[in-house]
Amino acid sequence: IENKHESLFTIGLQNIENNSEAKALIEAGAEQGTFQAEWSEGIGIQARPDWWIDEGSELTHFVPCAPDLKTTTRWGNWDRVIADYGYHIQAALVRMTSPAESTSHPLIFVEKTMPHRVQVVWLDERWIEVGIERVFEFVNAWEKCRMSGDWPLVESESVTSSPPAWIE
């Protein structure tokens, strides 16, 4: 840890304490549980959320909950951050491996730079559904490679790129 990050571990932690939802989620959770499930014969999946609240809490309407702590320099555009870093896929893996049928998934974001803002971002059900779809895609692609013995480094040797809508 570099000196430039010292304030994250002092002011950032203090700001987590000052965010009543973040504090309540962390205090209610058991740290670093590991969930595993068999996908198919000889293939498993695993998830390791930062915290697990087995019985849920008032905040989650008593639905089991897997809060995850995230640090970011990209404050506020949560949909983009979630998609870019695959946080919905992590949440989907928790849903798919935990003993609970339903789960809630708050992300506790802490800004890496001053003023180290803290905000809890709740993933809605559609995020989890999209994450589950991605898990199926990844595992199916992996199984296809395993069965064929062909492990390509890229899906295609060339692609064409167009500017995204937001830049036009």
Side-chain angles (χ1 to χ4, degrees):
I1 299 172
E2 299 176 25
N3 286 342
K4 67 181 181 179
H5 299 296
E6 178 184 0
S7 64
L8 175 62
F9 294 98
T10 54
I11 297 168
L13 287 175
Q14 182 180 10
N15 289 344
I16 290 172
E17 289 256 332
N18 292 335
N19 182 305
S20 60
E21 277 192 31
K23 183 177 180 180
L25 289 165
I26 291 168
E27 288 179 348
E31 289 184 35
Q32 295 277 292
T34 300
F35 301 121
Q36 298 176 330
E38 188 171 329
W39 182 272
S40 64
E41 189 175 326
I43 299 172
I45 56 175
Q46 177 175 298
R48 194 161 191 247
D50 291 336
W51 293 277
W52 176 249
I53 307 171
D54 193 43
E55 302 293 323
S57 69
E58 287 184 35
L59 287 172
T60 69
H61 305 287
F62 301 99
V63 171
C65 181
D68 261 325
L69 181 64
K70 307 297 183 191
T71 59
T72 187
T73 57
R74 297 169 56 190
W75 190 262
N77 189 357
W78 302 127
D79 294 344
R80 179 65 120 188
V81 172
I82 291 162
D84 286 352
Y85 290 99
Y87 296 148
H88 60 303
I89 298 168
Q90 293 175 341
L93 285 166
V94 171
R95 167 82 54 88
M96 296 168 77
T97 58
S98 78
E101 288 184 28
S102 182
T103 52
S104 60
H105 300 273
L107 303 173
I108 302 168
F109 281 100
V110 181
E111 188 176 27
K112 285 184 181 181
T113 56
M114 288 295 280
H116 303 296
R117 294 173 284 188
V118 174
Q119 191 165 47
V120 178
V121 177
W122 294 83
L123 296 180
D124 74 13
E125 192 60 27
R126 185 65 187 127
W127 267 123
I128 308 306
E129 292 168 5
V130 170
I132 289 170
E133 291 170 11
R134 295 295 294 152
V135 170
F136 272 88
E137 290 171 14
F138 293 145
V139 175
N140 288 336
W142 181 84
E143 283 184 321
K144 180 180 173 186
C145 292
R146 185 178 64 94
M147 297 297 283
S148 71
D150 182 24
W151 297 87
L153 296 176
V154 293
E155 291 180 23
S156 174
E157 290 186 0
S158 69
V159 296
T160 299
S161 178
S162 300
W166 61 265
I167 204 166
E168 292 184 316

